[in-house]
């Protein structure tokens, strides 16, 4: 070894003689090594010589020697010893390839694959060798590296397909990764990327698979399977989303959406592109990205002339719902109408119709907020054009009434509300429709309609107090418009139905009294007068001044009827019988007038007192003026006259006493018509006392 080493060091370009000497030295060296421990001895010696530059020649010659003797494994061992001792030597890849070639030639197939795998590990893009040497050195073995990577990637892929093991797929993926990284400009890189995506997919490494597929799409869009790669990337992202943490879900959803849009735009001719684009729009909408979702959906609708009805429906739904969420309700309505115009796609349209109605309703709300009253009302009312009788149509109509009412357009509001009741009834929020209508009619000046509504309330409302007030107010309104018959019906019903509060019951009775007088129904009027009296009597000490006044007034009139009856009784012969009838009529009439006094109303008390006194005066005169019996002698007639005077005198005395009571009221400052008339009567009945000239009292204005 020492001698040979000295010869090798002589130079790089020996002459013929030196070359022969070198060859001889090599033969000697190889022979010596072969008699010792072969490559192991050679390696130890080279280490002692600090691995001289010419050592490769010795290893090379020894390997050839073994090979020539068909000692193939020794030849391989020699080459591999050089590699192990000099892993970064530029010749290492060549020696490694010779190892593989030797094993192939020697037909050791089981030994070949591990060496190829080792070749890739030692000299591939991830190796230290790769980073130590430049492109010139790497260029020497790049074709071999490519072949080995291609062979091993496909072999591992095939084995993984047979085993189904994720670990096998990942081994294949590792080789595909190295091919792509080592030969980025190779025409087959697109195919390798696609296969890389496939093996990662099978290994359930969907994120890595997506990255590979997307490189195919973005870097090699002309690759024949680029569209399949794009779609596979979408499927992979779907798998990622199924397992991703909630915190990362939105991020990965956006990645998937971007992939879908990229696919649809890059491969518009792919049959799957419309469905993918529609799904992207739906996903954007679910994220609340309404504008983006509508842009994607709108593009789909604009660029696809013959879009599947289901996809068209999906895109239009995005437009409709998106416009709705953004407050663009007119655009939303147009989109919903387009959906409803689509051919039947076996999908229910009830929800769409509801959204359509809601978009109309919201247009009304916006117009109302902007002060566009009539526009708002128009929108509210047209809901019924699409859904007559629906809940929202009813609400819209009801809101239209409120809008008009707020503008104090009472008559219009009343008409709208009446229409509402005719179409939708008075359930739910419209339970107070009759009250509201009555108020609107009253404000508009249509008291007849207002009163009619109140009569309806009085007949049907569940609250007795509401019924009571409505009935009375209806009567008042009828009075205002001079509808006498309707007013009488209302007040009569009130008086009969609601005895309390007594004060208002009295007013209803009083109205009936006046109205009966107005139509000339004196008999009916007398009945209402008696009701006044009965009411005051029933209330007793609780009766108000007005109750007592009206009762006194009514009783005075009723007493007048009794007086008329009294006046109608004539004293005829036999006097005793007719006088009995007259006296009975007197008692009845006096009792009627005395009842007037019981109410404590001064003006009627003096009047009643006068009337009672006048009754006695009338009875006295009736007795004196009564018919004389026939056939009496002059003496008998004179005696009869005296007898009549005796009969009449007590009545006259009673009359004087009663007139005096009235006259004495003047002492307390009461001097009304009836007191004055009592004084006049006393002058006639008792002239000696009351028919005298008034005494004049002289006085002086100053002391003289």
């Amino acid at each position: 070894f020492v001698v040979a080493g000295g010869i090798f060091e002589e130079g790089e370009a020996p002459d013929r003689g030196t070359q022969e000497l070198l060859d001889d030295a090599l033969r000697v060296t190889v022979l010596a090594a072969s008699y010792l421990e072969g490559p192991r001895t050679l390696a130890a010696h080279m280490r002692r010589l600090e691995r001289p530059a010419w050592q490769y020649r010795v290893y090379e010659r020894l390997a050839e020697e073994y090979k020539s003797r068909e000692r193939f494994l020794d030849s391989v061992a020699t080459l591999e010893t050089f590699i192990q001792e000099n892993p970064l030597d530029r010749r290492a890849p060549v020696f490694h390839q010779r190892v593989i070639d030797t094993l192939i030639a020697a037909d050791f197939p089981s030994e070949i694959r591990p060496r190829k795998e080792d070749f890739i590990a030692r000299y591939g893009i991830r190796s230290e060798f790769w980073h130590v040497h430049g492109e010139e050195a790497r260029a020497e073995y790049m074709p071999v590296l490519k072949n080995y990577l291609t062979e091993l990637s496909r072999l591992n892929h095939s084995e993984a397909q047979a085993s189904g093991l994720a670990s096998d797929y990942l081994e294949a993926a590792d080789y595909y990764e190295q091919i792509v990284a080592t030969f980025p400009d190779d025409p087959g890189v697109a195919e390798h990327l696609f296969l890389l995506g496939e093996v990662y997919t099978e290994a359930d490494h969907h994120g890595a698979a997506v990255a590979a597929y997307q490189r195919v799409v973005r870097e090699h869009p002309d690759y024949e399977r680029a569209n399949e790669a794009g779609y596979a990337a979408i499927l992979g992202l779907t798998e990622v989303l199924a397992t991703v943490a909630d915190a990362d879900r939105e991020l990965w959803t956006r990645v998937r959406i971007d992939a879908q849009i990229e696919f649809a735009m890059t491969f518009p001719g792919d049959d799957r592109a419309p469905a993918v684009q529609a799904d992207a729009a739906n996903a954007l909408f679910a994220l609340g990205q309404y504008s983006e979702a509508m842009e994607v959906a709108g593009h789909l609708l604009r660029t696809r002339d013959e879009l599947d009805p289901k996809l068209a429906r999906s895109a239009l739904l995005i437009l409709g719902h998106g416009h709705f969420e953004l407050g663009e309700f007119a655009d939303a309505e147009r989109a919903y109408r387009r959906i409803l115009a689509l051919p039947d796609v076996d999908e229910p349209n009830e929800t769409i119709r509801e959204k359509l109605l809601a978009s109309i309703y919201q247009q009304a709300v916006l117009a109302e907020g902007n002060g566009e009253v009539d526009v708002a009302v128009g929108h509210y009312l047209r809901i019924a054009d699409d859904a007559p009788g629906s809940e929202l149509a009813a609400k819209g109509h009801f809101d239209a009434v409120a809008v008009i009412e707020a503008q104090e357009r009472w008559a219009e509001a009343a008409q709208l509300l009446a229409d509402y009741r005719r179409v939708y009834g008075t359930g739910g929020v419209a339970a107070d429709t009759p009250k509201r209508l009555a108020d609107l009619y009253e404000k508009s000046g249509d008291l007849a309609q207002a009163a009619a509504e109140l009569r309806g309330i009085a007949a049907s409302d569940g609250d007795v107090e509401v019924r009571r007030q409505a009935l009375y107010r209806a009567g008042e309104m009828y009075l205002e418009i001079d509808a006498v018959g309707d007013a009488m019906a209302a007040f009569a019903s009130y008086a009969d139905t609601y005895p309390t509060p007594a004060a208002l019951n009295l007013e209803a009775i009083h109205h009936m009294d006046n109205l009966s007088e107005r139509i000339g129904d004196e008999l009916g009027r007398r009945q209402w007068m008696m009701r006044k009296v009965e009411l005051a009597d029933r209330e007793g000490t609780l009766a108000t001044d007005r109750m007592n006044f009206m009762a006194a007034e009514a009783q005075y009139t009723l007493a007048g009827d009794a007086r008329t009856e009294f006046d109608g009784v004539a004293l005829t012969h036999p006097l005793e019988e007719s006088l009995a009838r007259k006296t009975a009529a007197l008692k009845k009439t006096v009792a009627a007038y005395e009842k007037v006094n019981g109410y404590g109303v001064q003006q009627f008390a003096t009047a009643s007192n006068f009337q009672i006194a006048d009754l006695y005066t009338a009875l006295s005169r009736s007795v004196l003026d009564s018919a004389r019996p026939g056939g009496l002698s002059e003496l008998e007639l004179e005696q009869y006259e005296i007898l009549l005077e005796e009969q009449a005198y007590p009545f006259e005395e009673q009359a004087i006493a009663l007139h005096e009571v009235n006259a004495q009221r003047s002492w307390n400052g009461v001097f009304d018509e009836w007191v004055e008339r009592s004084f006049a009567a006393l002058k006639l009945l008792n002239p000696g006392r009351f028919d005298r000239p008034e005494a004049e009292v002289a006085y002086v204005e100053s002391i003289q």
Side-chain angles (χ1 to χ4, degrees), residues 4-42:
I7 295 172
F8 291 149
E9 292 290 353
E10 289 180 0
E12 293 297 330
D15 55 23
R16 181 176 180 181
T18 304
Q19 183 63 50
E20 290 177 355
L21 182 60
L22 285 172
D23 290 340
D24 291 340
L26 283 172
R27 280 194 296 274
V28 171
T29 302
V30 168
L31 182 60
S34 63
Y35 278 106
L36 297 173
E37 295 182 0
R40 184 181 301 176
T41 300
L42 182 59

Side-chain angles (χ1 to χ4, degrees), residues 534-570:
E534 291 169 359
L535 174 60
D537 291 348
R538 186 170 64 248
E539 289 296 303
T541 58
L542 298 178
T544 63
D545 291 344
R546 181 166 177 76
M547 288 180 188
N548 286 326
F549 180 88
M550 288 190 178
E553 182 182 47
Q555 182 61 35
Y556 185 78
T557 301
L558 294 173
D561 293 340
R563 171 63 185 268
T564 300
E565 183 180 342
F566 166 81
D567 290 340
V569 177

Side-chain angles (χ1 to χ4, degrees), residues 466-485:
V466 171
R467 295 199 302 270
R468 183 189 68 77
Q469 293 182 22
L471 183 58
Y472 191 86
R473 181 59 185 145
E476 289 181 321
M477 288 184 178
Y478 284 132
L479 275 184
E480 289 184 52
I481 59 175
D482 207 29
V484 175

